Amino acid sequence: MATINVGREQLTRDPDRCDIPYYVSEFVEREVGTDLNCLRKLGKLIEGLSENKKQLEEQVLTVTSEVPKRIQNALKSAEDSKKSLSQLLEEESVLFDSINSHLLTAQPWMEDLGVLISQIEEIERHLAYLKWISQIEELSNNIQQYLMTNNVPEAATTLASMAELDIKLQESSCSHLLTFVRSTVQFWHKILKDKLSSDFEEILTHLHWPFVGPPQSQIFGLDALANAPEVYSNLETLFSQLLKLQTSDELLTKPKQLPEKYSLPPSPAIILPMQIMLNPLQKRFKYHFTGNRQTNVLSKPEWYLTQVLMWIGSHAKFLDDKIQPILDKAGSSVSAKLEFSRALVMLILEKLAADIPCLLYDDNLFCHLVDEVLLFERELYSVHGYLSSFPSCMHVLSEETCFQRWLTVERKFALEKMDSILSSEAAWVSQYKDITDVDEMKVPDCAETFMTLLQVITDRYKNLPSASRKLQFLELQKDLVDDFRIRLTQVMKEETRASLAFRYCAILNAVNYIATVLADWADNVFFLQLQQAALEVCVDSNALSKLQLGQLACMESSVFDDMINLLERLKHDMLTRQVDHVFREVKEAARLYKKERWLSLPSQAEQAVMSLSSTACPLLLTLRDRLLQLEQQLCYSLFKIFWQMLTEKVDMFIYQEIILANHFNEGGAAQLQFDMTRNLFPLFSHYCKRPENYFKHIKEACIILNLNVGSALLLKDALHLASGNGTILDPNQPSATAVLNELGVYKLAQQDVEILLNLRTNWPNTGK
């Protein structure tokens, strides 16, 4: 076996030098191995290998016999394909020659046939041309027959069909046909329009249209007529027939348009029956408000504006009750009242376009015109439901020359108003000073009047049709805010020496009020829309950085942010100046208190009753008086910031200048705690529930200084161990922070507490 193993190892290690192939030796080793009992398997193994060999030989014989057959079949298929391809090429050549021969033979026929086809197409065009003419003549004859039999409704319907044919032929190049159609439409349209218009005007006369008399004497249409049903039936019939002429009327009549510089929105023509109803009112308007009439005065735009509003109001009921049902029945989407209003507003626009150049450089007249136009627009929209998508007076005021003049005049009058309100004797006095509930902000009259001025400017321009125009007005408002801030700053600098005086506080209240109102406006839907418009403008012009654009887009900033930031900075500077002034007075009043003999004061047990230190009285009186004074002069939010800033300074001052600068015996520590907790802290109890939280340094220093001796010793040892200067016996020893927190000390650091402990003089004689 040893020999066999050695031989196996040699075979394994050097198979290339062995006569037996390597894979055979591997197979024997895997099947037999070193186990002699496995030799019994050799018989079955030999049988299996023989069977496998036999199968492999059969497969080789099969493949050897089949491969030549497949090759022969493939060669035969290739030869057959080659023969078929040759045959197809021969057929293709014959067919090609045949086609060429046929084409040569058919060429004369094709030329003759092309001529015939061209003639046929021309005849078809002539036939189509004649069909159009025949169709138009047929419609024209039908209209004539209908008119001869007095069947006006059918004539109007037929004319509408003819007008539709005219529209269909608009893209045709047959100019004569177009002229024929248009002249035919025009001919019958004039006849039908004249006939229907005269009948319609007669009906309107029966109805006492238009209603221009006093309201109490007006006869509203059919209600006062004996033959009301008949008149109403005729009104409906004629109105409907005139409505059918609308298509042909739009083809033949071009509505009067204002110049493009006014950028009026596109709007359809006024419906024909409404034009007829408006004729008498248009004549009255032009009679009274054009030419040399006494009623045509540049200084009185309210005359024609009021007249139009009166006409709209006096005819609204009739239009809603009598005309609107006719339109609804005819399937029209037109609103009778809005159509009536739109036509009259166009008269106003024409009048404004003519008058504005005459008064553009007279500030008083121009400003008066703008005021009256804005009042007119407000009533037109709020009372009569006029739509913002229709042409309006704001489009005329938005014309470049007029708009720039409007901006200039608006700025001029706003600055004059600012001068007057700041120079007023009551500029710094609140209008509501005697009404506590209303006067929470303690707003001086000048600030409230100024913000009212800004609000009025907003109301004046908020209905402008263009966002770019609104943004220009917004810039004007921001300029005015900045100008007013500068004026307040100038007045404030004059009052700097008296920073606690009434006027200084009034200026501070004004700054706070303006910043607060602007912050509220920033969340207003109108100004949010302007912010979006400004964002789009900035994106187009690349005027802002990506960060600023992002802030605008996600509403992190507002259109007033720059102004609010400047006002907040001014407010902070003024408050800081006031706090510094009061703090200087406090330090001056505390000079004696700083020199108190804290080291030799009697203990609490030696006194019958604890009382306030006499040297603390000036300090506390100064604080009390200034707090009361500023509480009355500053609004609540400002006063809250003031006293919180003051407490921070007083807290650090007493801690650093009094506590850390002295040593305390038991009586001195108790007296300090009494002065602070029973006298200083309660001064601020009117303004918050726990004033001691604003004096954390003082409060925690008093805790440390007033610990009993045993607790102080334990604290000192605990801090000593926690700092690593001693040997810690217990691994669970609490940290210095935990020890201090347990005593109620959160603000002071460990080093501060150690300093305070060293300021105590009431230690026992333990050698420490």
Side-chain angles (χ1 to χ4, degrees):
M1 289 301 298
T3 305
I4 292 173
N5 287 336
V6 171
R8 183 174 58 82
E9 289 176 1
Q10 290 175 349
L11 285 174
T12 303
R13 290 183 186 132
D14 194 9
D16 293 336
R17 296 183 180 181
C18 183
D19 293 338
I20 302 174
Y22 178 71
Y23 64 87
V24 174
S25 63
E26 283 293 317
F27 176 78
V28 172
E29 182 181 354
R30 183 173 63 252
E31 293 295 331
V32 179
T34 58
D35 189 358
L36 295 176
N37 294 327
C38 292
L39 294 175
R40 298 174 182 173
K41 299 179 181 178
L42 288 177
K44 294 181 179 180
L45 186 60
I46 292 171
E47 290 179 5
L49 290 174
S50 300
E51 183 66 27
N52 191 18
K53 178 184 176 184
K54 184 178 179 181
Q55 291 178 357
L56 290 173
E57 289 174 347
E58 290 177 354
Q59 290 178 4
V60 169
L61 290 174
T62 303
V63 170
T64 304
S65 61
E66 286 182 356
V67 167
K69 292 181 180 178
R70 290 180 181 177
I71 294 174
Q72 289 176 359
N73 291 334
L75 290 173
K76 184 178 179 182
S77 298
E79 290 176 357
D80 293 342
S81 298
K82 183 178 179 182
K83 290 180 181 178
S84 299
L85 181 60
S86 299
Q87 185 177 355
L88 288 173
L89 288 173
E90 291 176 0
E91 292 177 357
E92 185 268 340
S93 178
V94 172
L95 183 60
F96 180 77
D97 294 339
S98 176
I99 291 173
N100 284 335
S101 175
H102 178 73
L103 288 175
L104 290 173
T105 305
Q107 184 64 32
W109 300 349
M110 291 293 292
E111 293 175 357
D112 295 340
L113 188 60
V115 173
L116 291 175
I117 290 174
S118 299
Q119 293 175 351
I120 291 171
E121 288 176 349
E122 185 176 358
I123 292 172
E124 285 180 345
R125 285 196 298 271
H126 292 165
L127 183 60
Y129 194 93
L130 291 174
K131 283 182 178 179
W132 278 106
I133 294 176
S134 174
Q135 190 174 359
I136 294 165
E137 288 182 341
E138 182 181 355
L139 292 174
S140 179
N141 292 333
N142 290 341
I143 293 173
Q144 185 177 11
Q145 292 296 325
Y146 290 138
L147 289 178
M148 290 176 65
T149 57
N150 204 27
N151 191 352
V152 179
E154 288 298 328
T157 303
T158 307
L159 179 60
S161 301
M162 188 184 294
E164 290 175 0
L165 289 180
D166 190 336
I167 294 172
K168 290 180 180 179
L169 287 170
Q170 290 301 310
E171 297 181 359
S172 173
S173 59
C174 302
S175 57
H176 296 294
L177 178 62
L178 291 175
T179 303
F180 173 68
V181 176
R182 182 60 57 85
S183 60
T184 306
V185 170
Q186 186 173 5
F187 175 79
W188 290 117
H189 176 79
K190 184 178 185 307
I191 293 174
L192 283 171
K193 182 179 178 181
D194 291 345
K195 177 176 176 55
L196 292 173
S197 296
S198 61
D199 294 344
F200 191 58
E201 288 171 354
E202 185 178 348
I203 291 294
L204 293 176
T205 303
H206 284 306
L207 296 174
H208 304 283
W209 180 274
F211 310 134
V212 293
Q216 61 272 18
S217 64
Q218 289 178 4
I219 303 174
F220 283 95
L222 309 174
D223 298 337
L225 297 176
N227 56 342
E230 181 183 352
V231 175
Y232 175 69
S233 176
N234 291 336
L235 174 72
E236 181 178 357
T237 300
L238 291 170
F239 193 98
S240 301
Q241 291 171 3
L242 284 167
L243 203 58
K244 292 179 181 179
L245 302 184
Q246 183 65 30
T247 304
S248 57
D249 191 69
E250 291 178 3
L251 282 174
L252 302 171
T253 308
K254 290 186 177 180
K256 188 176 181 180
Q257 295 286 348
L258 289 176
E260 291 184 3
K261 65 180 181 178
Y262 295 110
S263 302
L264 297 182
S267 56
I270 305 297
I271 57 174
L272 182 58
M274 191 64 71
Q275 292 179 29
I276 298 170
M277 295 174 72
L278 284 161
N279 279 336
L281 293 177
Q282 291 172 337
K283 289 178 182 178
R284 286 172 181 270
F285 187 90
K286 291 178 180 178
Y287 176 82
H288 288 292
F289 304 116
T290 58
N292 298 322
R293 301 291 173 185
Q294 293 182 350
T295 47
N296 182 30
V297 185
L298 286 176
S299 61
K300 297 293 182 181
E302 61 269 27
W303 286 356
Y304 60 82
L305 294 171
T306 304
Q307 183 62 75
V308 166
L309 289 174
M310 289 175 59
W311 284 345
I312 294 174
S314 60
H315 294 85
K317 187 176 188 307
F318 178 80
L319 292 169
D320 286 338
D321 294 348
K322 308 302 180 184
I323 302 301
Q324 190 61 50
I326 302 174
L327 288 168
D328 295 341
K329 188 176 180 180
S332 174
S333 60
V334 174
S335 166
K337 182 179 175 181
L338 289 177
E339 195 78 350
F340 184 81
S341 302
R342 183 162 67 93
L344 292 178
V345 168
M346 288 305 298
L347 290 176
I348 297 288
L349 301 189
E350 293 172 10
K351 175 67 174 168
L352 288 175
D355 283 359
I356 285 177
C358 301
L359 48 79
L360 197 59
Y361 298 101
D362 187 318
D363 290 349
N364 292 324
L365 288 181
F366 182 77
C367 191
H368 178 62
L369 173 68
V370 172
D371 290 341
E372 292 298 330
V373 166
L374 293 174
L375 290 173
F376 169 79
E377 289 266 311
R378 185 180 304 170
E379 183 171 349
L380 186 65
Y381 283 102
S382 61
V383 177
H384 302 295
Y386 198 72
L387 299 181
S388 58
S389 58
F390 288 169
S392 71
C393 301
M394 301 305 283
H395 288 92
V396 177
L397 294 182
S398 297
E399 188 271 326
E400 182 64 27
T401 305
C402 179
F403 183 77
Q404 293 303 325
R405 186 61 185 161
W406 184 11
L407 272 179
T408 303
V409 171
E410 203 76 42
R411 184 187 300 274
K412 174 187 173 183
F413 282 103
L415 293 174
E416 289 177 359
K417 182 66 174 176
M418 288 162 57
D419 290 336
S420 67
I421 61 179
L422 285 173
S423 59
S424 169
E425 293 182 359
W428 307 108
V429 180
S430 173
Q431 299 180 30
Y432 315 105
K433 62 180 180 179
D434 299 325
I435 310 175
T436 307
D437 295 340
V438 180
D439 197 34
E440 291 182 358
M441 295 285 288
K442 293 182 171 60
V443 186
D445 183 62
C446 63
E448 186 166 6
T449 307
F450 174 69
M451 295 312 293
T452 303
L453 173 65
L454 290 184
Q455 181 61 57
V456 169
I457 292 175
T458 302
D459 293 338
R460 289 160 72 84
Y461 79 82
K462 69 189 306 180
N463 290 322
L464 282 170
S466 168
S468 62
R469 298 300 192 201
K470 294 177 185 177
L471 288 173
Q472 287 178 267
F473 257 105
L474 178 63
E475 288 302 316
L476 169 62
Q477 287 180 300
K478 291 164 71 173
D479 290 344
L480 292 176
V481 171
D482 197 44
D483 188 274
F484 196 74
R485 177 189 63 82
I486 293 172
R487 293 173 188 234
L488 290 178
T489 305
Q490 292 170 346
V491 179
M492 180 269 292
K493 289 180 179 178
E494 297 173 2
E495 302 292 328
T496 301
R497 293 185 179 180
S499 59
L500 303 183
F502 171 77
R503 178 174 286 195
Y504 191 92
C505 292
I507 296 170
L508 184 51
N509 286 329
V511 171
N512 179 66
Y513 175 71
I514 295 171
T516 303
V517 173
L518 290 179
D520 290 341
W521 285 1
D523 295 329
N524 184 282
V525 173
F526 173 71
F527 289 108
L528 289 174
Q529 291 171 342
L530 283 188
Q531 181 175 342
Q532 181 62 30
L535 175 65
E536 294 172 0
V537 171
C538 292
V539 169
D540 294 338
S541 61
N542 294 323
L544 295 178
S545 66
K546 291 184 179 180
L547 175 61
Q548 291 171 316
L549 288 174
Q551 290 174 339
L552 275 175
C554 64
M555 302 301 176
E556 287 183 7
S557 60
S558 71
V559 291
F560 294 114
D561 267 8
D562 294 341
M563 297 298 101
I564 293 173
N565 291 337
L566 290 172
L567 290 166
E568 288 292 337
R569 188 183 306 169
L570 176 59
K571 180 177 79 173
H572 182 266
D573 291 345
M574 294 180 71
L575 276 172
T576 302
R577 191 172 284 111
Q578 285 187 323
V579 171
D580 290 344
H581 183 98
V582 174
F583 184 59
R584 284 195 300 270
E585 293 183 350
V586 169
K587 288 199 295 184
E588 181 66 23
R591 282 191 304 169
L592 295 177
Y593 194 59
K594 288 171 62 176
K595 299 176 181 179
E596 186 70 60
R597 298 176 60 83
W598 304 103
L599 191 59
S600 58
L601 290 179
S603 66
Q604 188 173 359
E606 297 173 1
Q607 302 181 56
V609 178
M610 291 288 291
S611 61
L612 175 65
S613 300
S614 59
T615 53
C617 290
L619 164 66
L620 297 176
L621 285 173
T622 300
L623 277 173
R624 184 201 66 181
D625 293 343
R626 290 312 187 191
L627 288 172
L628 289 175
Q629 176 188 353
L630 292 173
E631 184 182 15
Q632 293 174 356
Q633 294 180 351
L634 294 179
C635 70
Y636 173 77
S637 60
L638 286 176
F639 179 67
K640 182 178 180 182
I641 298 172
F642 167 81
W643 70 255
Q644 289 179 355
M645 291 172 66
L646 182 61
T647 55
E648 185 178 352
K649 282 182 169 288
V650 171
D651 180 40
M652 290 304 298
F653 168 71
I654 293 177
Y655 176 70
Q656 292 177 348
E657 301 291 330
I658 296 177
I659 297 177
L660 294 182
N662 290 282
H663 285 75
F664 296 83
N665 66 357
E666 182 181 353
Q671 185 64 51
L672 176 68
Q673 185 173 35
F674 181 83
D675 292 344
M676 298 296 105
T677 59
R678 301 293 297 276
N679 294 278
L680 175 63
F681 297 171
L683 279 179
F684 296 87
S685 61
H686 298 290
Y687 318 124
C688 62
K689 292 182 178 180
R690 300 181 64 85
E692 63 273 13
N693 288 338
Y694 292 92
F695 297 92
K696 291 184 178 178
H697 289 88
I698 297 175
K699 183 184 75 170
E700 295 180 3
C702 287
I703 291 174
I704 300 300
L705 293 175
N706 285 276
L707 285 174
N708 59 51
V709 177
S711 299
L713 286 171
L714 290 174
L715 175 61
K716 199 168 186 179
D717 290 341
L719 296 179
H720 185 67
L721 292 173
S723 63
N725 296 328
T727 303
I728 301 178
L729 300 177
D730 186 357
N732 296 321
Q733 177 74 28
S735 65
T737 302
V739 173
L740 293 175
N741 290 350
E742 188 176 350
L743 293 173
V745 177
Y746 299 93
K747 182 74 172 177
L748 298 177
Q750 177 181 344
Q751 295 81 356
D752 298 328
V753 174
E754 290 174 349
I755 293 171
L756 288 170
L757 288 172
N758 290 329
L759 295 178
R760 293 170 58 111
T761 61
N762 55 331
W763 294 108
N765 295 321
T766 58
K768 291 187 179 182

